[in-house]
Amino acid sequence: MIQCVQRMLYLSVLVAFAACNAPPVPLDDILIEKTFVPEQCVRAVKVGDYVRYHYNGMFPDGKKFDSSYDRGSTYNVFVGKKQLIQGMDKALVGMCINERRLVKIPPHLAYGKQGYGDIIPPDSILHFDVLLLDVWNPEDGVQINTYHTPSTCSRKVEVSDYVRYHYNGTLLDGTLFDSSHTRMRTYDTYVGIGWLIAGMDQGLLGMCVGERRIITMPPSLGYGENGDGSDIPGQASLVFDVILLDLHNPRDGITVTNQKVPESCTRKSIAGDFVRYHYNGSLLDGTFFDSSYSRNRTYDTYVGRGYVIAGMDEGLIGVCVGERRTITIPPHLAYGEEGTGTKIPGSAVLVFDVHIIDFHNPSDNTQITVTYKPETCDKQAKKGDFVKYHYNASLMDGTDIDSTHNYGKTYDIVLGANQVVPGMEDGLMNMCVGEKRHVVIPPHLGYGERGVTDEVPGSAVLVFDIELIDMEEGLPEGYMFIWNDDVSPDLFSEMDKNDDKQVEPSEFTDYILRQVNDGKGRLAPGFDPYRIIDNMFSNQDRNGDGKITEAEFKLKADEAAAHDEL
């Protein structure tokens, strides 16, 4: 058994020795060793394709005889058209971009018995380390791969549209040659009119805002045989990873969408109106740039007079109070080619989501609508009358401001005494006790441009629902006190209680109050009686010494000019 094993080992050594000393087996065909295969192979080389590749050429002993790397440029050639040695023509078929192959080519598929000058001896086996960088075919067109489509697409790119987009530009092997992202600025251009390379002109057509696509193009539709002179070599296929951010046409006007109109709309805005509205402003890709809500204040402006960008001037015409609408504005009706700097880029389409809060016209008067009127109405409120009324006050959008019902008491004023805003004076005139009215007051008859801090915004239209509860008739204009009966001929003497021929303030006050209490006279309602009496006394005290003499004392009928006195 031991001898048998020894004999077998001896025979194995002889076989191994014979194999090491045997002459090399001649190559009948090329041998390919794939030293690197990419994970994805979108396309493999076929006969008739044009390829760009790098290589190192070596003899079997490792000696290098040629290299594209040493020349600093790829080898560019058609495959299968006898522009290469036969072995290389065969070796390139089926290769993928970025694939690496070690190819061994026998002499009869290389330079044969003649060799190649002083570089390659006759009957040489050649080794090539090949890296494929590019492949295309003369019949290739633009290839488009859309990998993200937005949920809504109201419009697609057409010829002559102006677009703004971001891109990464690479060669087919992934080498980056340009990117708008690194410049932090979109590429802005017209499409389909020759401002772009032909492949991009074609590849952008049909895109939606927000869409992402890979656009691959052969050199004939890119930079051709010469490349761009720097980063893009000649005969290079190009790959652009594109996202479309903006799209418009110079012929575009504004578009109004997403309209939500309130059920009642008694009036629509016209040129010259002053409008208060809230808005959110964004770019077409959804990028936010401004909001009135963030400032907690409406944007207030005249419309149709050039106070705002042209597109907004147009978009705010014909709106109702409470309406919501989306106004899309092309750049030539917005901020044009320059934009506004950091927030709004040049040539940007703007989208405004607008909510109309109120509007008015400087020529507007107070609008009065009678909502209830009692059957009998003997007296109507007039200037000078003391009126008591309840009200609910709100803005045009329904925001509550105030209500007398919250305080459990009426609001009491003298009409015509500037105790309320002019619009409310208008609203209360000629009312009957028990009557109810809906009163709309424009800001110039309300609280004006300033409004009331924390209560009424500036330039706000006010809405009052009022009910007249009670009314006391006022005095004739110019009077703060009148006699109900005939005036006593001994008026001065009746005032002069101590008979010292002069009337002091206390005597004067006591006398007037007694006349009022006895029903012989009446003070203007709604005012402090003591202030009225003090004013009457001052008008009679002509020398200002704090006393009234008989010479100073005069009735109103005796005065040349009207005074609020006797």
Side-chain angles (χ1 to χ4, degrees), residues 242-442:
V242 176
I243 176 172
L244 185 66
L245 300 182
D246 204 340
L247 157 68
H248 77 276
N249 195 285
R251 298 186 300 271
D252 288 347
I254 67 166
T255 56
V256 176
T257 56
N258 302 328
Q259 287 179 282
K260 295 181 181 178
V261 182
E263 291 183 3
S264 62
C265 179
T266 56
R267 172 178 170 181
K268 293 184 177 183
S269 62
I270 60 173
D273 283 345
F274 192 86
V275 181
R276 295 176 53 245
Y277 62 97
H278 271 303
Y279 70 88
N280 284 318
S282 62
L283 304 181
L284 206 57
D285 66 343
T287 302
F288 171 85
F289 64 79
D290 193 19
S291 174
S292 62
Y293 296 100
S294 63
R295 294 189 294 274
N296 198 30
R297 181 179 179 181
T298 56
Y299 193 84
D300 309 336
T301 186
Y302 287 98
V303 294
R305 291 186 176 181
Y307 282 39
V308 289
I309 56 175
M312 189 62 82
D313 236 1
E314 182 181 348
L316 291 173
I317 298 294
V319 296
C320 303
V321 171
E323 182 175 338
R324 295 176 184 267
R325 58 169 51 178
T326 298
I327 306 171
T328 303
I329 305 175
H332 55 275
L333 297 177
Y335 293 98
E337 296 181 5
E338 295 185 0
T340 63
T342 55
K343 289 188 175 181
I344 300 177
S347 300
V349 176
L350 306 183
V351 180
F352 290 92
D353 288 313
V354 173
H355 181 201
I356 307 301
I357 303 301
D358 73 21
F359 64 83
H360 73 280
N361 195 284
S363 63
D364 285 349
N365 296 315
T366 303
Q367 299 176 31
I368 301 171
T369 304
V370 176
T371 57
Y372 172 76
K373 195 162 188 174
E375 293 182 1
T376 59
C377 180
D378 297 331
K379 293 182 180 180
Q380 294 180 329
K382 64 183 183 305
K383 188 175 181 181
D385 287 351
F386 183 57
V387 296
K388 299 180 179 182
Y389 62 98
H390 273 303
Y391 70 80
N392 290 315
S394 64
L395 302 179
M396 284 287 276
D397 65 347
T399 301
D400 290 330
I401 300 174
D402 195 14
S403 174
T404 53
H405 298 284
N406 295 336
Y407 311 113
K409 61 180 181 179
T410 57
Y411 198 79
D412 308 336
I413 66 160
V414 176
L415 275 177
N418 298 320
Q419 295 176 352
V420 289
V421 296
M424 183 57 79
E425 293 264 18
D426 296 338
L428 289 165
M429 287 291 183
N430 302 314
M431 279 191 84
C432 306
V433 172
E435 184 176 339
K436 297 179 182 181
R437 291 181 175 182
H438 181 77
V439 181
V440 180
I441 303 174

Side-chain angles (χ1 to χ4, degrees), residues 18-28 60 125:
C20 293
N21 289 277
V25 177
L27 276 175
D28 293 328
I125 296 175

Side-chain angles (χ1 to χ4, degrees), residues 464-489:
F464 286 89
D465 288 302
I466 59 177
E467 178 183 5
L468 188 60
I469 302 301
D470 197 3
M471 173 175 60
E472 183 178 346
E473 188 175 2
L475 303 186
E477 188 172 355
Y479 286 82
M480 296 298 284
F481 174 84
I482 62 171
W483 295 96
N484 293 328
D485 298 327
D486 293 334
V487 181
S488 171

Side-chain angles (χ1 to χ4, degrees), residues 60 70 96 118 140 153 208 250 254 302 314 332 438 451:
D70 294 343
C96 302
D118 297 333
D140 285 349
C153 180
C208 305
I254 67 166
Y302 287 98
E314 182 181 348
H332 55 275
H438 181 77

Side-chain angles (χ1 to χ4, degrees), residues 537-549:
F537 183 88
S538 296
N539 287 334
Q540 295 291 331
D541 182 15
R542 302 174 192 281
N543 61 7
D545 64 353
K547 298 176 183 179
I548 301 173
T549 64

